[in-house]
Amino acid sequence: MLRAKFLLLLLFVAALLIASCHIAEGAEDGYKNDGTGEMESFNITCNSSRPISHFVYGITANMAAVFLYGSNFVPVKRVETGDGMFFQWVTCAAIWVVSMFGDLMLQSPKFCPFAMLGGVLWATGNVGVVPFVKAIGLGVGILISGSSHLLMGWASSRFGWFGIAAQNVSRPILNYCGAGLCLLSGLIFFFVKADVKLLHSSETIPLLIDRRTNSGSYGQNSSESWIDTIGPKSKRFIGFLLAVVAGLMYASSIIPVLYIKSHSVHHDSMFYEASVYDLDYVHAHCCGIFIASTVYFAIYCAAMNTKPKLYSRAVLPGLLSGLMWAIGTYCWFLANNYLNSVITFPIVTAGYGLVAALWGCLVFKEIKGLANCLIFSLASCVVLTGSVLTAISNL
């Protein structure tokens, strides 16, 4: 069953990237640079079927990214990962491998080292994912990180923070309302109490064991991470804090690419005449992810006296998780070529949180009780309304 899923996803990657190659050829025809570094989005009118089709393509790619981002941690939900360091490295390795295939199918565009900085920021935030999922649950944890991701990403794109060009929309009031509702949904989800239970399975002993130690050195608590050893209130607070920080790191990871595109028309910039096609930077982004995760894992191994906790059952779920994330990133970057990031950011960040929450509620039964279900339903309606308003703000 797992192999079949891998095969289908690999075929999907190939089809997506082949389509991207053809889209790249016409990308410059659909966009023009206004001299400020800001990419003009397609105007949606009833008199032209082509712009409408571009809008449909952008929304479709965005929705695919929402589903894949919201589902990429599902394979590991019921698998013991310990402190998560080994799992995050396996995930990042899978992301890098997918990006290499993508780079080849895009005919190896010019490599931009500056885009690797975004990957480093993303990998830094990703280190805290397993701890906050263990602390506050898959659904609530991803929703909180998505809210901080939304706030930082939307604001930096809309107002031109960090040296990137501010992006305008035809209906700013709708855009503000949509982003505000998406953020409000994250605050409402804060009051949802998740029922998170520790996993108990046979996979509680690290893959590599020093046989010179006695058999009691890896006892019942050997699979516990530091987040499992603290009290419930502190655990919940730290989980929320890690989720917020992870979201901020995720949002910051896209800024280097936007910065390069914004300065591609400045004659005095080192990025002058750089590509404005987002997919050209995915491989560099993923290289930064893999390098940073490898460095973090090496530091972890040194801190553990070369006795890291490695879990064999986390390998295949980790690979699948990385594969899904990489495909989602290609979809998101593809959507950015049809829609402004000021539109895609709120939809993706709020949407994947909702998908993760639905997994947590319907499949993993993390959300129980009438009050919790009502709060969850209210927040879901708010995030859907916000996403719709944001999507139509540039019509």
Side-chain angles (χ1 to χ4, degrees), residues 320-331:
L320 181 58
S321 178
L323 190 61
M324 295 174 69
W325 186 91
I327 298 173
T329 299
Y330 274 103
C331 291

Side-chain angles (χ1 to χ4, degrees), residues 3-285:
R3 291 180 180 178
K5 291 181 179 179
F6 268 108
L7 179 58
L8 291 174
L9 286 172
L10 286 172
L11 291 175
F12 182 79
V13 173
L16 173 66
L17 295 180
I18 291 172
S20 300
C21 293
H22 293 286
I23 294 170
E25 297 175 358
E28 293 184 357
D29 297 333
Y31 286 96
K32 60 181 180 178
N33 202 303
D34 63 1
T36 63
E38 178 182 349
M39 301 309 299
E40 295 183 0
S41 63
F42 292 105
N43 292 321
I44 312 301
T45 63
C46 297
N47 297 327
S48 174
S49 61
R50 183 180 179 185
I52 292 178
S53 66
H54 287 152
F55 176 76
V56 173
Y57 293 155
I59 292 297
T60 302
N62 225 18
M63 292 300 101
V66 165
F67 176 77
L68 291 169
Y69 279 157
S71 305
N72 76 304
F73 289 113
V74 171
V76 78
K77 170 62 179 177
R78 289 175 174 168
V79 176
E80 180 57 59
T81 58
D83 47 32
M85 293 301 297
F86 175 65
F87 168 76
Q88 67 88 26
W89 182 79
V90 172
T91 299
C92 293
I95 291 171
W96 179 63
V97 170
V98 173
S99 75
M100 287 195 297
F101 283 102
D103 187 62
L104 291 175
M105 298 190 71
L106 289 172
Q107 301 177 358
S108 298
K110 183 179 179 181
F111 188 87
C112 185
F114 185 71
M116 295 174 64
L117 176 60
V120 173
L121 294 173
W122 187 91
T124 303
N126 194 54
V127 170
V129 168
V130 170
F132 79 62
V133 169
K134 283 190 171 187
I136 57 179
L138 173 68
V140 176
I142 299 298
L143 282 164
I144 296 299
S145 66
S147 297
S148 60
H149 188 174
L150 162 66
L151 182 61
M152 171 67 85
W154 173 83
S156 60
S157 299
R158 183 68 181 89
F159 302 112
W161 293 356
F162 308 108
I164 64 178
Q167 298 181 354
N168 298 316
V169 293
S170 59
R171 295 179 175 85
I173 299 300
L174 287 181
N175 190 258
Y176 291 140
C177 292
L181 287 176
C182 291
L183 178 61
L184 177 62
S185 69
L187 299 178
I188 297 175
F189 276 117
F190 180 85
F191 296 98
V192 177
K193 296 182 179 179
D195 182 16
V196 183
K197 297 180 180 180
L198 292 177
L199 178 68
H200 296 284
S201 69
S202 59
E203 186 69 16
T204 57
I205 301 178
L207 188 63
L208 300 182
I209 301 178
D210 187 350
R211 299 298 182 182
R212 293 172 297 179
T213 61
N214 59 46
S215 59
S217 60
Y218 289 96
Q220 182 179 358
N221 296 327
S222 63
S223 65
E224 290 187 351
S225 65
W226 58 272
I227 196 68
D228 298 322
T229 62
I230 58 180
K233 292 185 178 180
S234 299
K235 183 177 180 180
R236 181 176 173 82
F237 173 77
I238 293 175
F240 275 107
L241 182 62
L242 288 175
V244 170
V245 173
L248 295 176
M249 292 292 102
Y250 290 162
S252 302
S253 68
I254 194 67
I255 290 176
V257 173
L258 298 179
Y259 184 89
I260 294 171
K261 293 173 60 179
S262 297
H263 290 75
S264 63
V265 297
H266 297 171
H267 293 273
D268 58 344
S269 173
M270 63 183 296
F271 303 116
Y272 178 62
E273 293 186 338
S275 173
V276 294
Y277 188 51
D278 292 65
L279 292 187
D280 288 345
Y281 301 102
V282 175
H283 180 55
H285 184 82

Side-chain angles (χ1 to χ4, degrees), residues 355-373:
V355 172
L358 290 174
W359 279 108
C361 178
L362 301 178
V363 178
F364 301 115
K365 309 300 181 182
E366 292 179 345
I367 302 174
K368 299 178 180 179
L370 179 61
N372 270 342
C373 290

Side-chain angles (χ1 to χ4, degrees), residues 188-189 192 370-383:
I188 297 175
F189 276 117
V192 177
L370 179 61
N372 270 342
C373 290
L374 290 176
I375 296 174
F376 175 80
S377 300
L378 173 62
S380 300
C381 293
V382 171
V383 71

